[in-house]
Amino acid sequence: MIRLENLSKHFASSIAVDGVSMEVAEGEVCVLLGPSGCGKTTTMKMINRLIEPSSGKVFIDGRDTSSVDVVELRRSIGYVIQQIGLFPNKTIEDNICIVPDLLGKDRKASRRRAAELLEMVNLDPAIFSKRYPKELSGGQQQRVGVIRALAADPPVLLMDEPFGAIDPINREVIQDEFMKLQASLKKTVIFVSHDIDEAVKMASNVAIFRSGKLVQYDTPDNLLAHPADSFVADFVGTDRTLKRLRLISVRDAMTADPPRVRAEDPAELATALMREHDHASIVMVGPRGRARGYVRRDTTEGRAEPISELFEKLPCMINVNDNLRNAVSMMFTNDLSWLPCVDDDGFYKGYITQQGITHLLGATYRDI
Amino acid sequence: MMGKPAWAMISRLCRWLSMVAIFALGILAHSSGLTASVAEYWGDIRYLSIQHLELTAISGAMAIVIGIPLGVLLARGKLGFMGPIIAQIVNLGTTIPTLAILALAMTVLGLGSPPALFGLTVLTILPIMLNTIAGLRSIPPALIEAARGMGMTNGQILMKVELPNAMFVILAGIRTALAINIGTVPLAFLIGGGGLGELIFTGIDLMDTGMLLAGAIPTALLAILVDIAASQVQFWLVPRGINPLR
Ligand SMILES: Nc1ncnc2c1ncn2[C@@H]1O[C@H](COP(=O)(O)OP(=O)(O)OP(=O)(O)O)[C@@H](O)[C@H]1O
Ligand SMILES: [Mg+2]
């Protein structure tokens, strides 16, 4: 969808971007990541030609952008800048509809779309449409900045540290909102950031820059597991393995289809199952398979009464769609070495252990 | 920064005070029998006031038409480097006495309204141009980058982003300019330009206080009225999003 070919930018005093080649597939989010001054913004601005490349080419959908009329090109690319850049003289609604208005689209239709977009980022159109930017908080303005770029439904979106100016809590919220938007709109997004956590959270692929050069272009998990060199390793942080936790879902890490017992089963059965699987405890499920409780081996050993008289309540469970970061956090909080995993309806799907997680994270390193 | 209510209250207070002052002056004038002698000139006052306003309107309009584009040219684009030079010339211009400008205009254009209009226009351009430059310069570069990145042409950036956002400052310049203009029009009489100056200067020559005041009071009233009108324009024309008065 977007292809950079040997793209370079030389300023009088410095080389800002040096021979960058990469490709972003349709519907992907590519995060440009790197320390300050490494050429992220310059690379991005060469895509909508706010900066003309010194050499190299940019293709969007196979078309060489230097052969397209520059105004037309920019109107077909959504653009979000870090300073937000809402026009203070226009209402929120008119700000959102700037590109549709430039394109001469039907006013009513674009105002309706603006209202829809406002709702998608949890701003009530009845309250905000007619307000002016100065009457919004920073986070609200940031949201408007993002949906303004989406108003004309461009296939490509460029975002230069769009959430940089927001406090960490609000940033997480807006990131989540954006990911939800992106899941339904499937734009091809290039996103500048210097926050590794943001990159890991949002990216399909991360491009790491160092003084104008692209040093690694990889999926977030590969980047964290196999940094190309010590610069990348330093940049992603010594806790990079912990960051990978967020990328792996509980479903992928759990032991599926585990042994289980029912309330009416005798304690001997539980003891036998635990001995067979070498477990110290076993989950008790209800008649249809919902996780209800658990029993320990040292409780059942040598007993014969039904499980219903011996079981304990489960202190916590984790959803299979959650990520390992939350799973590990839950284990630490409750001082547990394992967690039962359930689906949205509470059915028992598997279990996850600290040892299993360690093993999984380590697997990729042992492969080398 | 004062809140909106404070601003509104102060401007309303000023307006009332000026009303009261005018009223007090009226009483004073009446008690000394001056109203009667001023009223003698009613016909002249009407005729000359209209002439006065015409001079202001025409020179003001010309100054706006010339001053804003000139400011735009100097604030952006290739002529940007000329900005400081022009500003210097302009500063020099403001230090030249008004009368000297009028006299110079007269030597070139002869007597009558053309040199008066020329001189008044030159005087009025300066604040308008300076405020246009200041207004445009104060626009954050990020706004312009956002506009360009969204695919606005240079013309659209100027008309939809730069001028609207500089409008409050530009209008402030126009307001100042008109105040200077209306107060300077009486001098136009000296080069045959007409206006209320005729009553003022003739009154001075003849030591006729009634005649003098018949020129001076309407001049002051016109200045106040035009300023009120301009402030209303400023209040209503500039959108709420960038209007510090609203
Ligand atoms: N117009 C310019 N003229 C000269 N040098 C420039 C210009 N714009 C950028 N540079 C230089 O190019 C390099 C890359 O700049 P760029 O803005 O792309 O960095 P960045 O990666 O976006 O950094 P940041 O995270 O701080 O935004 C910097 O060293 C900068 O000083
Ligand atoms: Mg940058």
Side-chain angles (χ1 to χ4, degrees), chain B residues 22-224:
Chain B
I22 289 163
F23 196 66
L25 274 176
I27 292 172
L28 199 74
H30 196 72
S31 62
S32 60
L34 267 176
T35 14
S37 48
V38 169
E40 256 176 62
Y41 299 100
W42 184 238
D44 286 337
I45 292 175
R46 264 183 42 190
Y47 173 75
L48 292 174
S49 291
I50 290 170
Q51 209 175 35
H52 198 111
L53 277 181
E54 272 172 6
L55 284 171
T56 296
I58 296 171
S59 63
M62 289 203 300
I64 291 171
V65 168
I66 300 169
I68 294 180
L70 207 59
V72 170
L73 274 180
L74 291 174
R76 70 207 294 273
K78 299 183 183 71
L79 290 177
F81 73 95
M82 302 244 316
I85 304 171
I86 298 281
Q88 216 45 51
I89 294 174
V90 164
N91 273 335
L92 208 68
T94 45
T95 55
I96 298 175
T98 312
L99 211 48
I101 291 182
L102 289 176
L104 284 173
M106 186 183 73
T107 57
V108 180
L109 295 170
L111 284 173
S113 47
L117 285 174
F118 176 82
L120 287 170
T121 304
V122 167
L123 263 172
T124 315
I125 283 178
L126 307 181
I128 296 179
M129 189 187 83
L130 287 181
N131 273 44
T132 304
I133 294 176
L136 292 178
R137 289 258 166 87
S138 71
I139 290 172
L143 277 195
I144 297 179
E145 197 203 305
R148 180 157 291 127
M150 284 191 289
M152 286 196 189
T153 61
N154 284 336
Q156 285 165 335
I157 293 176
L158 179 67
M159 299 309 290
K160 289 175 195 277
V161 180
E162 292 184 291
L163 284 181
N165 283 298
M167 194 48 80
F168 189 82
V169 181
I170 294 176
L171 285 176
I174 290 177
R175 210 172 139 182
T176 316
L178 287 180
I180 295 175
N181 183 300
I182 215 156
T184 312
V185 171
L187 294 179
F189 163 72
L190 300 177
I191 55 169
L196 287 164
E198 194 170 321
L199 288 173
I200 299 174
F201 286 106
T202 315
I204 292 173
D205 281 349
L206 300 177
M207 306 240 276
D208 179 342
T209 321
M211 191 187 228
L212 170 63
L213 288 179
I217 293 172
T219 303
L221 283 178
L222 284 183
I224 293 170

Side-chain angles (χ1 to χ4, degrees), chain A residues 40-42 82 160-161 192:
Chain A
K40 308 179 293 287
T41 298
T42 309
Q82 178 171 356
D160 193 349
E161 304 200 29
V192 168

Side-chain angles (χ1 to χ4, degrees), chain A residues 11-17 34-43 51 82 160-161 192 194:
Chain A
F11 288 114
S13 55
S14 63
I15 300 177
V17 177
S36 191
C38 66
K40 308 179 293 287
T41 298
T42 309
T43 304
I51 295 178
Q82 178 171 356
D160 193 349
E161 304 200 29
V192 168
H194 56 234

Side-chain angles (χ1 to χ4, degrees), chain A residues 198-210:
Chain A
E198 182 172 69
V200 167
K201 183 170 176 182
M202 322 265 300
S204 326
N205 283 298
V206 182
I208 301 237
F209 281 74
R210 178 193 194 179

